[in-house]
Amino acid sequence: MAKMKAIEAVAKILELEGVTKAFGVPGAAINPFYAALRGLGTIEHVLARHVEGASHMAEGYTRANPGNIGLCIGTSGPAGTDMITGLYSAMADSIPILCITGQAPRARMHKEDFQAVDIESIAKPVTKWAITVLEPAQLIGTFQQAFHIMRSGRPGPVLIDMPFDVQMAEIEFDAEAYQSMTAYKPAANRIQIEKALTMLNESDKPLLVSGGGVINANADAMLTEFAELVNVPVIPTLMGWGTIPDDHELMAGMCGLQTSHRYGNANMLASDFVLGLGNRFANRHTGSVDVYTKGRKFVHVDIEPTQIGRVFCPDLGIVSDAGAALELFIEVAKEWKAAGKLKDRSAWVAECQERKRTMQRKTNFDNVPVKPQRVYQEMNKVFGRDTTYVSTIGLSQIAAAQFLHVYSARNWINCGQAGPLGWTIPAALGVCAADKSRNVVAISGDYDFQFMIEELAVGAQFKLPYIHVLVNNSYLGLIRQAQRGFDMDFCVQLSFENINSPELGEYGVDHVKVVEGLGCKAIRVFKPEEIAPALEQAKKLMAEFSVPVVVEVILERVTNVSMGVEIDAVNEFEALAEKGLDAPTAISLLD
């Protein structure tokens, strides 16, 4: 066998496991690994401006395409702690990323050495596995196990911490003999599937709830096929948006307290049975359990055994990878259809479609400053079916989910459970790094945008072009709206008069100057009729310069976006659509 530095074996294992891209920031304690990457020459490196940004880039990269595993790298101490938010985000949304950190030499780890921190203990609560490797010869098995853990069961992140001297030690490693470990995926059996399908068939008004697990299993086509076979409408969760096209007759809308459609909530409340596939029954989807479950039975299919019953006890729980379950659901449904056993659902489907046609929110506002609803109307006009949207949290993301249209899996890439501000820019860059030809459009409010704005320089340096729609109300809009319940508007205003940009009035930060200073392009608009031309111009600038292009829309300072505390009590603060012209880009027109 070949004798080599342990860290050279690590680099080779990454290559053998399919890693082709890394996001990180070099440092003294991780320089041996960077030397090994340089020597290997097959893994492209993207230099982040902040190590948290590298972790979010890795997550965006993973989410972009089936089978991807994003790699983020940092040195010892604060690099690892900076990546904790990224690990938490990936863990919460079942996204496999690999975080590698350097560490002080073993003999100095307990001596309060410079930048020596117990990152293993810090990271354990937000990873599937976190380990500091203390024996050089264990690195091979550790990385082999890391990929096995990330890919098995419910996917998630892993952190591997490597002391400097462990990296530098020599070990024996035969790359030709290396083999990936087969991932474990639980699969439903026929008895379970037949019981679930019997319950669905006995119901009068069934729904399928499609979650992020369907996307993780790359099973969106099977989800749509199964829905068509049984002719049952689908409610995608926010993480499962795109598993059935928005304009499909069986797409019944999203349900929830915030990122929902009026018709989605109404269809859920009218149903009597729900088959959940790869979803968590998250609280912003359900609201209170009492309202969500009243009058309906539930079957819950999830890859994680402890997810069954976590929120409420279903009538039947099935531990299974969503793809494996759907494969068997399709097989049994085909047999039952051929035998004439499936119930006719045409009246129920028509009922759901009528709600979808008539229960629209208004978007066609001509106000100046611009109402946010109009921004998404214009985006629907300009961006095509193949657009990939990236967003994290805030009123901008909530409104985007209410008004934009998504037609394919992985065309809505959203941080779901964690929702860290600043996620959007680096995540969008990670998606672009996975596929530079992809049409990527990010959506941020001004505060999310400012959190990690420095990462735009990464897009300029490494030619990662995308369009970033920045809706600026100079407010922490979602928190301001939440503070209404406390009768206050406190510590959430971002407005000030910028002495260097008086033309902005009270809107504070001059994002155009900052963006251009970071090597990107930017356009600012004040009127609704300027939005579509600006987006078209952004496409041209992106194609010409291969850098991120920001389109900033100056919004009215205060807009309350539709939301509530229960799915049967969502507050509609703005006028609703009464005719087709009120919502001209709605997925289903009123007239």
Side-chain angles (χ1 to χ4, degrees):
M1 288 197 296
K3 201 158 193 173
M4 63 180 69
K5 287 182 180 177
I7 201 62
E8 293 172 346
V10 166
K12 187 63 181 177
I13 289 169
L14 293 172
E15 179 188 57
L16 293 170
E17 291 284 0
V19 175
T20 60
K21 191 100 48 177
F23 307 89
V25 178
I30 198 64
N31 271 340
F33 181 48
Y34 273 90
L37 288 180
R38 180 172 179 252
L40 186 67
T42 59
I43 298 175
E44 182 183 345
H45 183 268
V46 175
L47 177 63
R49 296 307 191 264
H50 191 293
V51 196
E52 182 187 339
S55 66
H56 297 325
M57 290 175 199
E59 187 179 347
Y61 179 85
T62 295
R63 289 179 183 238
N65 294 310
N68 280 6
I69 291 184
L71 171 62
C72 50
I73 309 165
T75 190
S76 58
T81 57
D82 282 344
M83 286 193 276
I84 291 298
T85 298
L87 291 168
Y88 161 43
S89 171
M91 185 70 175
D93 290 342
S94 308
I95 306 299
I97 66 172
L98 178 59
C99 173
I100 296 176
T101 54
Q103 181 58 273
R106 286 170 290 180
R108 300 211 296 269
M109 286 173 61
H110 66 293
K111 297 180 183 293
E112 296 189 355
D113 207 49
F114 177 66
Q115 292 189 336
V117 68
D118 185 2
I119 194 64
E120 175 186 334
S121 296
I122 294 170
K124 274 183 176 177
V126 291
T127 55
K128 285 190 76 176
W129 190 38
I131 185 171
T132 298
V133 183
L134 299 177
E135 292 296 333
Q138 286 188 307
L139 278 174
I140 296 169
T142 298
F143 275 85
Q144 189 178 34
Q145 175 78 337
F147 282 94
H148 176 69
I149 288 172
M150 285 187 287
R151 292 168 175 150
S152 293
R154 180 183 181 181
V158 166
L159 179 138
I160 299 177
D161 185 46
M162 300 182 296
F164 188 90
D165 56 326
V166 169
Q167 298 177 59
M168 295 296 290
E170 285 200 337
I171 62 170
E172 299 284 350
F173 175 62
D174 188 341
E176 289 183 353
Y178 181 84
Q179 183 175 331
S180 297
M181 296 171 65
T182 303
Y184 165 69
K185 301 283 185 184
N189 61 45
R190 190 176 177 95
I191 292 174
Q192 294 170 321
I193 295 301
E194 288 181 342
K195 283 181 178 291
L197 204 52
T198 296
M199 292 174 67
L200 182 149
N201 212 34
E202 289 174 347
S203 66
D204 294 319
K205 297 183 176 184
L207 291 172
L208 307 181
V209 169
S210 176
V214 175
I215 293 177
N216 282 348
N218 199 29
D220 50 294
M222 286 194 287
L223 182 280
T224 302
E225 182 183 358
F226 175 59
E228 291 172 346
L229 270 171
V230 293
N231 199 28
V232 170
V234 178
I235 299 273
T237 68
L238 186 65
M239 300 304 295
W241 196 12
T243 50
I244 188 168
D246 268 7
D247 58 354
H248 195 289
E249 67 174 4
L250 292 176
M251 202 293 199
M254 284 191 286
C255 170
L257 306 181
Q258 297 177 339
T259 54
S260 60
H261 303 107
R262 294 179 64 222
Y263 52 90
N265 283 348
N267 286 330
M268 175 60 73
L269 291 165
S271 70
D272 62 3
F273 173 84
V274 171
L275 169 56
L277 292 155
N279 65 303
R280 293 190 297 113
F281 291 115
N283 69 301
R284 292 194 177 189
H285 166 77
T286 64
S288 72
V289 169
D290 290 343
V291 171
Y292 187 77
T293 60
K294 185 179 180 180
R296 55 194 62 86
K297 293 183 177 180
F298 288 84
V299 173
H300 189 195
V301 180
D302 198 88
I303 198 169
E304 171 54 46
T306 63
Q307 202 68 27
I308 308 293
R310 185 183 292 269
V311 178
F312 59 84
C313 183
D315 296 272
L316 176 63
I318 300 173
V319 179
S320 178
D321 170 74
L326 280 165
E327 191 173 350
L328 205 47
F329 269 121
I330 290 169
E331 180 183 315
V332 176
K334 283 181 176 178
E335 293 173 9
W336 287 20
K337 186 173 184 178
K341 291 173 64 176
L342 293 179
K343 190 179 286 187
D344 180 9
R345 304 290 181 192
S346 55
W348 168 236
V349 171
E351 184 182 326
C352 292
Q353 287 177 330
E354 180 63 10
R355 293 191 189 95
K356 187 175 181 178
R357 189 185 72 82
T358 57
M359 300 182 72
Q360 298 288 341
R361 295 181 173 112
K362 183 175 179 178
T363 58
N364 200 24
F365 295 96
D366 292 327
N367 303 52
V368 179
V370 177
K371 277 191 173 293
Q373 295 88 340
R374 180 64 182 268
V375 178
Y376 305 102
Q377 175 179 303
E378 300 304 308
M379 290 172 68
N380 285 333
K381 290 178 183 177
V382 172
F383 298 125
R385 295 178 68 92
D386 64 340
T387 303
T388 298
Y389 293 108
V390 182
S391 188
T392 179
I393 192 62
L395 290 183
S396 56
Q397 172 248 23
I398 292 168
Q402 291 180 9
F403 298 113
L404 292 178
H405 308 316
V406 174
Y407 301 98
S408 302
R410 301 181 190 274
N411 276 11
W412 172 261
I413 295 177
N414 178 85
C415 183
Q417 198 230 75
L421 287 166
W423 186 88
T424 308
I425 292 175
L429 292 170
V431 175
C432 293
D435 182 2
K436 291 186 179 182
S437 66
R438 198 157 177 165
N439 294 317
V440 177
V441 176
I443 306 133
S444 286
D446 45 303
Y447 207 44
D448 170 54
F449 189 73
Q450 290 173 23
F451 255 55
M452 302 203 80
I453 195 170
E454 77 284 343
E455 301 305 321
L456 285 173
V458 178
Q461 180 180 354
F462 292 92
K463 301 297 182 184
L464 300 171
Y466 76 95
I467 293 173
H468 202 123
V469 177
L470 166 60
V471 286
N472 182 5
N473 60 4
S474 200
Y475 242 125
L476 302 187
L478 179 57
I479 309 307
R480 176 207 51 79
Q481 188 165 336
Q483 286 186 351
R484 294 171 74 249
F486 296 90
D487 193 26
M488 67 178 182
D489 183 333
F490 184 62
C491 294
V492 290
Q493 296 201 27
L494 301 173
S495 60
F496 64 93
E497 292 186 2
N498 189 327
I499 59 172
N500 299 305
S501 303
E503 70 276 12
L504 284 174
E506 61 181 345
Y507 281 81
V509 174
D510 190 332
H511 295 110
V512 170
K513 288 180 180 176
V514 177
V515 169
E516 290 178 345
L518 290 166
C520 302
K521 289 290 185 179
I523 305 167
R524 180 184 293 123
V525 300
F526 292 91
K527 298 177 181 178
E529 62 269 22
E530 298 172 344
I531 299 171
L535 296 175
E536 294 290 358
Q537 179 65 13
K539 288 182 182 179
K540 295 175 182 177
L541 291 171
M542 187 177 66
E544 181 178 357
F545 296 104
S546 293
V547 299
V549 180
V550 175
V551 177
E552 179 184 37
V553 183
I554 302 298
L555 300 185
E556 63 182 10
R557 294 293 313 288
V558 173
T559 308
N560 292 317
V561 175
S562 303
M563 65 181 73
V565 295
E566 297 287 1
I567 60 172
D568 64 351
V570 170
N571 295 313
E572 300 293 341
F573 297 97
E574 301 285 349
L576 298 174
E578 297 180 356
K579 55 185 183 299
L581 287 176
D582 290 337
T585 64
I587 202 70
S588 179
L589 296 180
L590 285 156
D591 48 35

